[in-house]
Amino acid sequence: MINLLVVALLAAAPLPAKPAHYVTDNAGVLGAARAKALDDKLAQFERDTSDQILVYVDRDLPDGTTLEELSSEALHKWGVGQKGKDNGAILFVFTGARKMRIEVGYGLEGSLTDAKSKRITSTVMKPLLKDGDYADAVEQGADAIMKTVRGEAFTGTGKTAAEIPRASASQVSITPYLMVPMLGVFLLILVMTLRRRRKFSTSSSSGWTSSSSSDSSWSSSSSDSSSSSSSSDSFSSGGGDGGGGGASDSW
C-alpha cells in the first residue's frame, strides 16, 4: 500500500510540458536574439555529438515539488538523450527561487560527473548570477556543459532528432505494386483541382499565410530567416529515460 501511495504521489508531481526548443526562457532573462543563438548552438551540438542539452529558465518552481524531483522527472519524461544511450542533460535555473541544477543522464555521467556539474554551477554561473547577469550565467553554464561532455565517445549523425524523421520519410521506397493506384489517386486529385479552379478562379490559399511564422517562439528575432528556423530551433526527444546524477546549487 505504501509503495502504491509513493508511485501515485510521484505521478501527480507537477511537470511542465516538454519543451519545443532546446532553450526555454520563461523568465525572460536572455531576450529573443540570445535565446535563438543559444538554441542554434545546442541544436548543432546534437548534430555533432548526438548529445542533447536543454536549458530551462523560469521564475519559480512549480508548487508541490523540489528541484531535484522536478529535474529527474523532466529528464525521464521529456526523453532527453538518445534511446539506449541516455546522453542528455538539462540546465535548470529558477530566478525567483534563486536555485539551479544540472541534471545528467547516465550516458554522460562519465564526463559530466557530479563534481564537475557542481564546479560549473559554483565557479562559472554563481558569480554571474550574484551580480545579476543572468544571461551570461546561462550562456556560460551551457557552454561549460558542452565543453565538458565533448569527451564522450558518442558521435552525431549530422541531424537532430527533430530532423531525422523528415529525412527518413523522403527516402521511403515505393514498390511497383503501389505505383498504379497512387497514379490513379494523383490523376483524380488533379482533375478535381482543375475543376475547382474553374469554379473559384478568384480564390487563393490565403488562410495559411499568417500561421507559418507563429509556430516558432524565436520568430520575432529571426523574421528574415524562416527557411532555417523550422529545423534549427525544434527540439524532439531522442528517447532517453535514465538519469539521476548532477548537482544543485543556489545563489
Side-chain angles (χ1 to χ4, degrees):
M1 179 66 74
I2 295 177
N3 289 337
L4 291 175
L5 180 61
V6 171
V7 171
L9 289 172
L10 288 175
L15 179 69
K18 185 180 77 172
H21 304 281
Y22 295 86
V23 176
T24 301
D25 181 15
N26 292 331
V29 302
L30 288 168
R34 295 178 77 167
K36 178 67 168 65
L38 181 56
D39 203 68
D40 288 341
K41 185 184 293 188
L42 293 171
Q44 188 59 48
F45 185 74
E46 183 187 349
R47 295 187 189 100
D48 295 340
T49 66
S50 83
D51 303 327
Q52 292 187 324
I53 311 297
L54 297 189
V55 171
Y56 192 93
V57 184
D58 211 333
R59 292 179 179 84
D60 297 300
L61 276 164
D63 293 333
T65 187
T66 66
L67 178 58
E68 290 74 21
E69 290 170 344
L70 174 70
S71 302
S72 177
E73 188 76 358
L75 191 76
H76 172 67
K77 290 291 181 64
W78 294 349
V80 185
Q82 306 302 316
K83 186 175 183 179
K85 298 179 180 178
D86 296 324
N87 53 335
I90 310 174
L91 171 60
F92 286 96
V93 177
F94 290 94
T95 59
R98 302 178 73 86
K99 293 181 178 180
M100 57 182 155
R101 177 170 175 82
I102 299 174
E103 186 72 20
V104 184
Y106 291 132
L108 297 182
E109 287 184 322
S111 56
L112 189 58
T113 62
D114 294 357
K116 289 181 180 178
S117 296
K118 187 70 171 183
R119 194 177 306 149
I120 291 172
T121 60
S122 62
T123 65
V124 175
M125 298 180 65
K126 186 182 288 189
L128 293 167
L129 291 167
K130 283 184 173 181
D131 289 341
D133 197 346
Y134 290 175
D136 274 354
V138 171
E139 288 173 337
Q140 292 190 30
D143 284 342
I145 292 172
M146 286 187 280
K147 185 182 296 184
T148 302
V149 303
R150 276 193 182 275
E152 291 289 354
F154 302 121
T155 57
T157 63
K159 292 179 172 60
T160 68
E163 294 165 340
I164 290 174
R166 289 195 292 272
S168 60
S170 64
Q171 298 169 359
V172 174
S173 60
I174 301 174
T175 64
Y177 302 103
L178 295 176
M179 290 298 294
V180 173
M182 288 181 67
L183 180 60
V185 172
F186 172 76
L187 291 174
L188 179 61
I189 293 173
L190 180 62
V191 170
M192 292 174 65
T193 302
L194 290 174
R195 285 181 179 176
R196 287 180 179 177
R197 280 190 176 181
R198 289 173 184 172
K199 275 187 176 183
F200 308 103
S201 58
T202 59
S203 64
S204 65
S205 59
S206 59
W208 301 102
T209 56
S210 62
S211 63
S212 60
S213 63
S214 62
D215 293 336
S216 170
S217 63
W218 314 123
S219 58
S220 61
S221 64
S222 57
S223 58
D224 59 343
S225 58
S226 58
S227 61
S228 62
S229 64
S230 61
S231 62
S232 65
D233 60 15
S234 297
F235 166 73
S236 179
S237 63
D241 63 0
S248 300
D249 212 335
S250 59
W251 71 94

